[in-house]
Amino acid sequence: MLSAVSSLLASLSLALKQPLAGYCDVETTHGDALVTKQGDYCTFIRIGGMKRMATRDDITRLSNALRLDLSGALESKGHAIVGWYLSDPDMAAREIERINMDSCRRVGREVGLDLSDILDERLRLWSETMRWETSCFILWTRRAVLTKEELKQMKEEKAAAAKEVPRIGDAQRFFLRSELMAAHHTGFVNRVMAALRGAEVSATELSARDALVLAREALYRETAGSQWKPTLIGDKVMPRLPEDHVQNPSKEGLLWPSLRSQIFRIDAVTHGGQRVEIGENEYASVDMMIGPEDPRPFVELASWLGQDRLPWRCSFILEGGGKAGMAFKEVGSSFLSIFPANRDLQRAFASLRNLREQENHISVRLRASFATWAPLGETRKLRRRASTLAQRIEGWGNCKTARVAGDPLDGVMSSVPGLALASTGNPSLAPIGEALPLLPWSHTISPWERGSVLFRLPNGAIWPYDPSGGLMRPLVIDIFVAPPGSGKSVLANTINIGLCLSSAVLGSAKAKLPLIGKLDIGSSAEGFVRLIQEAVGPERRHEAIYTTMQFAPGYEFNAFDLQVGCEYPLPLEKAFLQNFLALLTLPPEETRPFEGMAQMISLVIDEAYRRCTEVPDGAPKRYRKGVEPLVDGAIAKYHIKLEGADAIWRDVVTALCEVEEFRLAEIAQRYAVPALEDLIAASRSEQVQDMFSELKIQTTAETVSAVFERYIYDAIRKYPTLNQPTKLDFGSARIIVLNLQEVAPTGSAASNRQTEMMYLLGRHILARNFFLRPDYVHHVPEAVRPYHAKRFREAYETVKRLDYDEWHRTQGSPQVRAQAELDSREGRKHNIQLGFASQRLSDMGDALISQSTGRFVLRAGDEREAEEVIERFNLTPASAAVVRHGLHGPGPKGAPFLAIMQIDNSKYEQLLVNNLGPIELWALSTTPDDAALRNRLYEAVGFQEALRRLAKVFPTGSAQKEVERRRSERLRGGEMEAHATQSVVEGLTAELIDGRGVALMLRPHDDMAAEYAVAAQ
């Protein structure tokens, strides 16, 4: 008896919404849908957002398309769409950990890359500037959609099912499911999903489990990111024992517990008429009493509040049958039209009627509720936030709001998604075309859920970026366009750091750094290399190398080197040699090779390699002891027998391969392959002369072979380091930056030609092994196939990236551009990423632009350049406005850029901000004065301490303003500019070392107090 009375009182309490659980109508689940105690169905659709930025006109156009697709479903009662949104800056740190930091730290540990200082700084900075946001459409189907016959059938089915179910107490009433309701609801869900896809809005249907997790996290914000999962029908459940005094217990303990008992963990406490305590936060609600006079897109409101860094959520309810629900009021307004106050209402109803009759615009019932929160005990902060929220809503198209609801808990619960279709907001009758833009679907989205790089939107929303591309972007060809000083080098370095921390480096073999090669003009990547060197530690410092190419001893490089054990080049290696020699034999003013030169070069290459083998008319290279002491030591160690004075280097290579000394065999092989001078003899061979001896060049009256010899002799004279066995050895380095500044001059035609040659040669030095594939093993001798099979497979599976800086220097060189285009076409097959940076879009060339899948525009040089970018990339009006007016270069809040990417057969356009902390900015700085100051401090106090001091004294990531100020003072004193700059940098270095002057803040407080005391005495 007491048990029955207790159950009756509990049911009455729930009906009166006394405990918090009384606000939950959800009873059980059916597939991915939630089922309420009334038998209504509800499904969550996560709205990712749009792929491209949009103007108001764009959103109006898309809203009209959605209107046409959804009007049929919302014209009558039964269906409802709830647009729900949540933004929480306080949860940014947890979200950043989930989508970025956890993976980066794990990969860093696996690779042995200690970037903890950088990652910790990123987390601190990003948590203060980014915010977590999510939005959903919650689709409701109510019993009103059923016909009388269907409603009767559903009631009979439920009654029959309830009779067969024993007494289950407070367990989930699974018999409330209805196949009739499920069919209607599925059709509605599919219709909305199709409409969103048609408007290019990313949408994903959530499972019932994920929907309940989202609802609970919205209710109890402190549980966001927890591992809680609900127990649903079909899950394994541990039986619960009944109370000892219950004689005839129900089957409740054997079944799945009610969803209310699982979702609600702490009851609510109401304070006054505006404040509600739920869990660890206090909440305040704001209701929309009158809709906007000028309906504006939701993204505008979200951006304003995002910049305010305000935590908030909202719920917009669009219910079908709005006109029918307002019919009585319309009739009343007609009867009472004699009163002036009702004439406006009558005209409003007439306007809605005209829209329906003339443009087929149906009307929907619209309600909107908002809420914000603050930690317990911070009531003043909550009041400020609620006031700000109300003011922003009222400024959003001139809405009217109310901060007092009849029951404050009702108001707060109105913005919790999916538990009930209820709101304390005042219902409005709105044309569906004006109501749809108010829903949260027009914000933009990243295609990646996680990424080792995080950018942010200007309003603070998080935008993950996966530099490896992954399955969504298998072909990665990036171009960076901006004038100097716009942040493109820092952005490129940020992406390369992200590549090092990407899960893509965790291949089938042991985790290793990716293979990254960069051809640089200047020192834009020196900081990146130094950062990696310090992160891997002194024992692995050799894995990242920065070097400046020179025509000097120690920098010898022979382009004719082969894969160890091979006698002839692989197909792609020969293709490079043909391009390189075609460029080498081309007059500086010309861009097209002489007639027949390309065919002759191909034949000469084959002949040169053939002559280095033991053929009857060959000239193999003779082995000489003392040339390579390491090789001599291995010969002695393994007791390798050679044929005295007739021994050749090829025999040494073969012998070392047999004993598996492949590294030494590679060194020995450098003396067994042809050099530039060997091409002369090859071109004079009988085979070549038979084909080309009579072919003459009209402009010079020389034979092709004579022209070839002349240019080869000239190259040997100009570039002697290219005619010697290779000494420029990077060993096992995986990240190599080659600075071509000293060997890539500009000005004259001859200088430009030399620059082109160095780009082509540099590409071969860095990426010669990037293009290896497992199937290339058939091109190598059988004796070394097992060794190369492993190498080729590892090289193919490794993530590789090749970057070119100052790409405009290759203009007018078809050979260099042809090589880059070939690499772009072949890159996907070899798992290679390519990056090209230059100052103008036209520098890239049409072929490269058309093949690129990532375009990063950091600034346009002038209006003409801006229009060229807009036209070439066919940008939307919103993106065009960004190019014209929104890219101003790096600033205190980061470096903005427009990202235009081709991902998963879709085009994404987004204004993003690369926001780095002072430690990382100083580590990657490319400004000459900052780099000079940083490098001097590295030598004086060490890497980490130098960055710590620089970040402390110059938190903007640059000392440029202080350098300029001091330099101006010295110039006014009569010093020469170069000397003044050097003196300023040295002076700042000394102050940072000693902790004086601008660096006084570095000194401990106690030491400064003691100094002041001494000075006072």
Side-chain angles (χ1 to χ4, degrees):
M1 183 66 179
L2 290 175
S3 177
V5 171
S6 176
S7 298
L8 178 62
L9 292 175
S11 300
L12 181 62
S13 178
L14 285 174
L16 296 175
K17 295 188 176 180
Q18 291 300 316
L20 192 57
Y23 288 88
C24 179
D25 287 345
V26 177
E27 186 66 34
T28 187
T29 61
H30 190 175
D32 288 335
L34 306 180
V35 183
T36 70
K37 55 191 176 186
Q38 296 85 10
D40 299 336
Y41 272 58
C42 162
T43 293
F44 280 56
I45 294 178
R46 187 184 297 279
I47 302 297
M50 299 174 62
K51 300 170 184 177
R52 285 174 278 183
M53 297 180 293
T55 61
R56 282 193 193 179
D57 291 341
D58 294 328
I59 293 174
T60 300
R61 175 178 52 81
L62 293 172
S63 296
N64 191 53
L66 289 173
R67 174 185 68 81
L68 296 174
D69 290 335
L70 300 178
S71 291
L74 296 176
E75 188 166 11
S76 58
K77 289 184 177 181
H79 291 303
I81 298 177
V82 179
W84 180 81
Y85 175 86
L86 184 144
S87 173
D88 194 348
D90 298 333
M91 288 293 168
R94 187 173 297 180
E95 183 69 1
I96 291 168
E97 284 280 4
R98 183 184 72 86
I99 67 176
N100 175 266
M101 290 293 162
D102 287 345
S103 175
C104 287
R105 289 194 174 102
R106 179 174 61 86
V107 172
R109 287 192 298 269
E110 291 284 337
V111 178
L113 194 63
D114 183 9
L115 291 172
S116 54
D117 287 349
I118 299 292
L119 297 179
D120 291 344
E121 180 187 60
R122 285 182 176 182
L123 182 59
R124 287 193 301 270
L125 174 68
W126 291 346
S127 300
E128 296 171 357
T129 57
M130 296 182 179
R131 60 185 176 86
W132 179 72
E133 68 173 1
T134 186
S135 63
C136 289
F137 274 9
I138 301 150
L139 308 182
W140 288 85
T141 301
R142 311 183 81 170
R143 289 175 298 169
V145 300
L146 300 178
T147 63
K148 289 184 178 180
E149 185 63 31
E150 288 175 332
L151 189 60
K152 179 181 177 182
Q153 181 181 345
M154 187 182 77
K155 289 180 178 179
E156 292 174 352
E157 290 176 355
K158 286 185 178 180
K163 287 182 180 179
E164 296 182 3
V165 176
R167 188 163 52 92
I168 61 174
D170 196 33
Q172 293 182 39
R173 293 187 289 172
F174 50 85
F175 52 82
L176 293 176
R177 298 174 172 184
S178 168
E179 294 298 333
L180 284 172
M181 282 293 295
H184 281 279
H185 184 65
T186 300
F188 180 49
V189 171
N190 292 338
R191 187 169 189 170
V192 174
M193 290 288 288
L196 291 172
R197 283 195 296 267
E200 294 189 345
V201 176
S202 173
T204 306
E205 184 176 350
L206 295 185
S207 66
R209 194 182 309 276
D210 290 338
L212 291 170
V213 170
L214 183 61
R216 186 173 184 266
E217 290 182 349
L219 178 61
Y220 300 105
R221 289 303 301 141
E222 65 274 11
T223 66
S226 68
Q227 300 300 313
W228 178 85
K229 298 292 181 185
T231 301
L232 302 181
I233 302 296
D235 291 347
K236 183 179 180 181
V237 60
M238 180 177 289
R240 285 92 63 205
L241 295 175
E243 298 292 340
D244 293 338
H245 65 273
V246 177
Q247 295 181 353
N248 297 311
S250 68
K251 301 298 187 290
E252 174 183 352
L254 301 176
L255 298 175
W256 305 275
S258 68
L259 294 177
R260 288 184 297 274
S261 65
Q262 298 182 60
I263 293 173
F264 297 97
R265 52 191 291 268
I266 302 174
D267 210 346
V269 180
T270 301
H271 299 280
Q274 295 182 330
R275 186 162 54 94
V276 178
E277 176 186 325
I278 303 178
E280 299 178 7
N281 292 285
E282 297 178 350
Y283 295 79
S285 65
V286 178
D287 287 332
M288 182 184 291
M289 303 308 295
I290 301 179
E293 178 182 338
D294 175 24
R296 298 180 180 179
F298 176 83
V299 68
E300 294 186 14
L301 177 63
S303 295
W304 293 338
L305 291 168
Q307 293 172 13
D308 293 332
R309 294 196 59 74
L310 187 76
W312 66 290
R313 67 180 185 231
C314 66
S315 179
F316 292 84
I317 301 179
L318 267 64
E319 293 182 89
K323 185 66 169 60
M326 293 290 180
F328 180 76
K329 291 185 178 181
E330 184 177 1
V331 172
S333 68
S334 299
F335 279 114
L336 300 176
S337 60
I338 58 175
F339 298 104
N342 288 317
R343 290 174 185 169
D344 290 339
L345 186 60
Q346 188 181 20
R347 282 194 292 269
F349 279 120
S351 176
L352 292 174
R353 186 167 56 253
N354 289 335
L355 278 175
R356 180 68 176 90
E357 293 172 355
Q358 297 176 11
E359 301 182 26
N360 200 28
H361 278 241
I362 68 167
S363 299
V364 293
R365 189 167 183 254
L366 171 66
R367 290 176 288 169
S369 296
F370 303 78
T372 185
W373 56 92
L376 287 178
E378 299 188 25
T379 305
R380 294 181 63 185
K381 179 183 286 188
L382 177 64
R383 288 173 179 164
R384 287 196 305 270
R385 287 178 171 178
S387 177
T388 301
L389 177 60
Q391 291 176 32
R392 287 298 193 187
I393 297 170
E394 290 180 348
W396 181 46
N398 194 23
C399 301
K400 298 296 184 292
T401 63
R403 292 176 55 188
V404 178
D407 180 352
L409 182 55
D410 267 345
V412 170
M413 293 300 294
S414 295
S415 56
V416 176
L419 299 184
L421 186 60
S423 173
T424 54
N426 193 42
S428 303
L429 189 62
I432 187 173
E434 295 184 2
L436 285 172
L438 305 180
L439 302 188
W441 55 268
S442 56
H443 56 290
T444 49
I445 180 182
S446 168
W448 293 283
E449 183 181 351
R450 289 177 171 82
S452 56
V453 176
L454 285 191
F455 300 122
R456 68 172 175 84
L457 272 65
N459 60 24
I462 301 172
W463 210 90
Y465 175 72
D466 183 0
S468 71
L471 295 176
M472 302 184 69
R473 190 177 170 221
L475 175 61
V476 180
I477 302 174
D478 296 332
I479 58 176
F480 301 84
V481 179
S486 301
K488 62 179 181 292
S489 294
V490 173
L491 177 60
N493 288 331
T494 300
I495 291 175
N496 281 334
I497 291 174
L499 193 61
C500 294
L501 295 174
S502 169
S503 58
V505 304
L506 305 177
S508 57
K510 180 181 177 182
K512 296 180 180 180
L513 289 172
L515 293 173
I516 299 176
K518 181 166 186 176
L519 289 178
D520 208 354
I521 299 292
S523 56
S524 65
E526 183 180 9
F528 162 66
V529 171
R530 183 66 183 269
L531 179 65
I532 299 299
Q533 288 176 338
E534 296 294 334
V536 297
E539 294 182 355
R540 296 175 54 197
R541 189 182 180 89
H542 61 277
E543 293 186 21
I545 293 177
Y546 173 88
T547 189
T548 301
M549 188 70 173
Q550 303 175 44
F551 295 129
Y555 293 88
E556 295 88 351
F557 184 84
N558 184 9
F560 294 87
D561 284 338
L562 298 171
Q563 301 295 326
V564 64
C566 294
E567 295 184 344
Y568 292 93
L570 298 178
L572 286 176
E573 291 174 335
K574 183 179 178 182
F576 157 75
L577 289 173
Q578 288 176 294
N579 277 341
F580 183 68
L581 292 178
L583 191 61
L584 197 66
T585 56
L586 189 64
E589 300 82 5
E590 300 293 333
T591 58
R592 298 182 61 182
F594 293 121
E595 174 64 27
M597 184 64 75
Q599 294 88 342
M600 179 179 171
I601 286 173
S602 177
L603 191 58
V604 166
I605 291 171
D606 293 338
E607 181 65 12
Y609 280 107
R610 189 189 70 83
R611 287 173 57 82
C612 287
T613 61
E614 290 186 284
V615 293
D617 58 339
K621 303 295 181 72
R622 300 295 176 183
Y623 165 72
R624 294 291 180 267
K625 190 174 182 181
V627 174
E628 284 291 347
L630 291 176
V631 174
D632 296 339
I635 292 174
K637 175 182 176 181
Y638 293 104
H639 306 291
I640 296 174
K641 295 182 180 180
L642 301 173
E643 298 181 3
D646 293 331
I648 60 175
W649 281 105
R650 179 59 58 189
D651 294 337
V652 176
V653 173
T654 302
L656 290 175
C657 288
E658 290 175 354
V659 296
E660 298 186 352
E661 285 284 0
F662 296 105
R663 174 61 181 159
L664 294 177
E666 181 183 356
I667 295 175
Q669 186 168 266
R670 296 171 183 170
Y671 298 89
V673 297
L676 276 177
E677 60 186 8
D678 296 314
L679 300 182
I680 304 297
S683 68
R684 295 174 178 174
S685 66
E686 183 178 345
Q687 183 181 2
V688 175
Q689 288 298 316
D690 285 346
M691 294 184 63
F692 295 97
S693 60
E694 297 182 1
L695 181 60
K696 293 188 176 183
I697 306 299
Q698 293 182 356
T699 55
T700 63
E702 296 174 283
T703 63
V704 173
S705 58
V707 171
F708 178 82
E709 288 186 28
R710 178 160 57 84
Y711 276 102
I712 295 299
Y713 277 126
D714 186 58
I716 294 171
R717 179 182 60 81
K718 288 181 179 178
Y719 318 117
T721 56
L722 303 185
N723 189 42
Q724 301 292 328
T726 297
K727 294 291 184 183
L728 185 63
D729 189 354
F730 296 114
S732 57
R734 302 186 67 80
I735 297 175
I736 306 170
V737 175
L738 199 59
N739 183 1
L740 301 180
Q741 188 167 22
E742 295 190 14
V743 297
T746 58
S748 65
S751 297
N752 294 339
R753 177 52 42 81
Q754 180 177 317
T755 297
E756 295 160 9
M757 287 174 51
M758 290 302 105
Y759 267 88
L760 203 56
L761 182 65
R763 175 261 179 204
H764 184 67
I765 294 173
L766 298 177
R768 174 183 164 213
N769 293 329
F770 282 17
F771 293 88
L772 299 177
R773 289 171 54 88
D775 53 350
Y776 288 170
V777 74
H778 302 294
H779 295 283
V780 304
E782 190 171 350
V784 290
R785 280 184 186 176
Y787 168 71
H788 284 302
K790 181 180 179 181
R791 283 185 66 242
F792 291 4
R793 183 175 62 254
E794 181 181 345
Y796 175 71
E797 294 174 353
T798 300
V799 177
K800 301 171 284 292
R801 185 175 179 93
L802 181 60
D803 284 345
Y804 297 89
D805 198 12
E806 305 293 344
W807 186 243
H808 63 273
R809 296 204 179 193
T810 65
Q811 280 187 320
S813 178
Q815 287 74 20
V816 179
R817 300 261 168 147
Q819 185 69 62
E821 290 173 21
L822 178 62
D823 292 348
S824 299
R825 295 174 186 272
E826 300 284 340
R828 180 175 179 177
K829 294 192 298 185
H830 298 87
N831 197 19
I832 294 176
Q833 301 183 8
L834 294 169
F836 302 86
S838 195
Q839 299 172 13
R840 301 183 69 90
L841 181 62
S842 57
D843 298 337
M844 300 298 174
D846 288 339
L848 195 58
I849 292 173
S850 63
Q851 294 180 55
S852 63
T853 60
R855 293 89 177 251
F856 301 90
V857 181
L858 288 89
R859 193 163 57 181
D862 52 31
E863 293 181 2
R864 183 177 178 182
E865 173 75 6
E867 296 304 320
E868 182 181 352
V869 170
I870 293 167
E871 182 180 356
R872 185 64 180 83
F873 293 146
N874 191 26
L875 299 182
T876 63
S879 298
V882 167
V883 174
R884 293 188 182 107
H885 312 296
L887 301 175
H888 306 294
K893 296 184 180 180
F897 64 95
L898 179 67
I900 309 155
M901 288 183 279
Q902 197 69 29
I903 301 171
D904 201 17
N905 297 321
S906 298
K907 186 181 181 183
Y908 285 76
E909 297 175 15
Q910 182 58 59
L911 174 62
L912 301 172
V913 179
N914 185 26
N915 197 15
L916 305 179
I919 291 178
E920 191 167 2
L921 285 174
W922 272 108
L924 301 179
S925 178
T926 61
T927 306
D929 292 339
D930 289 336
L933 176 61
R934 177 194 66 201
N935 294 340
R936 281 177 168 82
L937 209 57
Y938 281 167
E939 297 175 1
V941 299
F943 181 80
Q944 291 185 337
E945 179 62 18
L947 292 178
R948 186 191 70 81
R949 295 190 184 196
L950 289 167
K952 182 82 171 177
V953 178
F954 300 106
T956 61
S958 175
Q960 194 66 33
K961 290 185 178 180
E962 181 65 17
V963 171
E964 289 289 345
R965 186 186 67 80
R966 296 190 180 197
R967 181 162 49 200
S968 297
E969 291 179 355
R970 289 180 178 272
L971 290 175
R972 285 196 296 268
E975 290 190 37
M976 298 294 291
E977 184 173 358
H979 186 263
T981 300
Q982 183 177 359
S983 300
V984 166
V985 173
E986 289 176 350
L988 277 175
T989 303
E991 291 180 17
L992 286 163
I993 294 172
D994 300 334
R996 55 184 174 82
V998 294
L1000 193 62
M1001 66 181 69
L1002 297 174
R1003 309 192 73 172
H1005 176 75
D1006 294 341
D1007 291 350
M1008 288 194 294
E1011 286 191 12
Y1012 292 149
V1014 172
Q1017 293 176 0

